[in-house]
Amino acid sequence: MNILTLCWLFIIFSFGGWIAEGIRAFFTTGKFVNKGFITSPFCPIYGAGVIVLYITLSPVSDNLPLLFLFSTLLLSAIIIIIGYITTKILGFKPWDFSKMRMHIGSYITFPYALWLGVLGAVVLYAIVPVLEIFIGHIPIIVSIVVIIAISILLVLDYITTFITIIRLKKKIAKLKNCAFDENEISEEKILNIKENYNLLFTNHLMRRRLASAFPELNNMAYILEFADKLSEVKYENMLEYTTVYIDKDEEPFAFGLCFTKLFFLFVTGSFVGTILETIWALFAEGHFEIRVGMVYGPFIPVYGLGACLLTLVLYKLYKLSDTLLFIISAVIGGGFEYLCSWFQEMVFGTISWDYSGTPFNLDGRTNLMYALIWGFLGLVWVRYLYPSISKLIEKMPKRAGSIITLSLVVFMIFNTLMSVTAVWRWRDRDNGIPPASNFELYLDKHFNDEKLQMLFPNMQNVNSNE
């Protein structure tokens, strides 16, 4: 992959993106506006997006459906990440889709993501090959000189822009302090703050351009905010999950997201996982099969741990859009499934699932379809099941709940140890290693190959000689 080609593609599409943004602004506002983050005529987000697609999707550049699918995912991720980072730096969103339907954190909408997928596929399939031919005819020395010159321009432009933003944020912070330095604010003081705030965007060329490119920046709501709105929203959100108690003694059993509640969620998720796997085997694979992950009881720990992980990550964010919750759950679930498969293989030399023959799989440990299933399960869990289960757990009497918790913890620890040792001994038997102790004789008698094959029908020894 030629580095000069990559640089040229970045420059061409950054400039093309700047032109596209200018045309869009002209038709929406009736005048040309430099919508770029920097002053020079480039929108690097367009160039960066094309480079990411070019590097990652070149192997499937002839497959339009795959180009469309992965372009949609990659470009959407880039838009969300850059929008989030820019929001943290500037204090406002560079683009806002919150008023549109099916938005993801207000950074992008589902229809716009599909449109990006179409553009990405067309660019890689039809435009980039032509540009590669054109770039190949440019003398190397010309390419080097032009690329270096534009790179220096972009670096200086970024430095100048960031310095302007840093100074602007300091001035805004000073105005905020002025707004908060008294318990009551008079109308005269408010007018004075507004006047000083507006001057920030009229007496400086760079700040005028930023205000023109991002109208949301010139918004007094960022100055005269007299309460911590984020904490207020979190507090209101959490009221739907749990009640707030002033006196700690009034708190019910397993109040909040404590170890006890997480443990009950683990047990519940492990049990529900067994039911889901049994139903899946019956309807998707056409046979009845009880699938478990432990030698005692209907428990699959992967589901229980997944439920705990999704709860820890998302329980305070459950009011995000369904689309965003779905995507986050899919990423977390797919990544967690991959990690569990890798851990099982590295520690025990076995695997319980293999998706090598399925489309869009990752090392056979997970695939796109199951990631989407995790996304659906995570959305249903966080949005609907967790609040009810949490309140149900908290209704348990404290004394009885403590006894049940202790008993279950001891049982699950014992169950885990027996499951691990039984599988370990199963692997040793498979490798022809005779029992070396009375305990291993006990395992051979009570957890022989036939019984473990019934309990773990999909488990395979990756080191087996068979």
Side-chain angles (χ1 to χ4, degrees), residues 272-287:
V272 172
T274 300
I275 297 176
L276 293 176
E277 285 290 338
T278 302
I279 295 174
W280 178 266
L282 182 62
F283 289 97
E285 300 179 8
H287 63 275

Side-chain angles (χ1 to χ4, degrees), residues 93-105:
K93 293 180 179 179
W95 44 82
D96 189 356
F97 295 92
S98 59
K99 296 182 180 179
M100 299 183 182
R101 306 181 72 177
M102 304 179 70
H103 66 86
I104 303 174

Side-chain angles (χ1 to χ4, degrees), residues 245-452:
Y245 294 91
I246 299 177
D247 188 353
K248 292 290 184 181
D249 294 333
E250 296 180 359
E251 293 180 354
F253 173 74
F255 178 72
L257 197 63
C258 58
F259 168 79
T260 302
K261 181 169 288 180
L262 282 173
F263 176 73
F264 274 99
L265 294 179
F266 166 75
V267 175
T268 303
S270 299
F271 175 72
V272 172
T274 300
I275 297 176
L276 293 176
E277 285 290 338
T278 302
I279 295 174
W280 178 266
L282 182 62
F283 289 97
E285 300 179 8
H287 63 275
F288 178 78
E289 182 179 81
I290 298 178
R291 297 178 177 179
V292 295
M294 309 183 86
V295 294
Y296 298 120
F299 304 109
I300 300 182
V302 171
Y303 283 87
L305 292 173
C308 291
L309 180 60
L310 289 172
T311 303
L312 285 169
V313 174
L314 296 175
Y315 84 107
K316 284 188 177 181
L317 305 174
Y318 78 103
K319 279 200 170 181
L320 294 175
S321 67
D322 288 350
T323 306
L324 188 55
L325 277 177
F326 176 85
I327 292 174
I328 295 175
S329 299
V331 173
I332 293 174
F336 178 69
E337 187 176 35
Y338 183 97
L339 181 62
C340 288
S341 176
W342 176 85
F343 179 81
Q344 180 183 347
E345 182 176 348
M346 293 298 104
V347 175
F348 303 108
T350 62
I351 55 174
S352 294
W353 57 84
D354 184 7
Y355 306 140
S356 299
T358 62
F360 308 113
N361 75 85
L362 186 59
D363 295 337
R365 304 187 189 279
T366 188
N367 62 19
L368 180 61
M369 182 185 74
Y370 282 101
L372 296 178
I373 292 175
W374 273 104
F376 172 76
L377 293 176
L379 174 61
V380 173
W381 173 262
V382 174
R383 180 78 77 214
Y384 305 107
L385 296 183
Y386 171 73
S388 300
I389 294 175
S390 175
K391 292 177 181 178
L392 185 62
I393 294 172
E394 292 178 1
K395 289 182 179 179
M396 296 176 63
K398 288 186 178 181
R399 182 176 178 80
S402 299
I403 295 174
I404 294 172
T405 301
L406 180 60
S407 302
L408 278 175
V409 168
V410 172
F411 168 72
M412 293 303 288
I413 291 175
F414 173 74
N415 199 358
T416 301
L417 291 175
M418 291 301 296
S419 301
V420 169
T421 53
V423 171
W424 211 302
R425 179 59 195 147
W426 187 17
R427 185 192 63 178
D428 288 346
R429 284 198 304 268
D430 193 51
N431 292 329
I433 300 175
S437 65
N438 290 332
F439 179 63
E440 291 186 354
L441 286 172
Y442 174 86
L443 293 176
D444 287 350
K445 179 180 179 180
H446 295 277
F447 299 102
N448 54 37
D449 293 353
E450 291 76 15
K451 184 170 184 178
L452 291 182

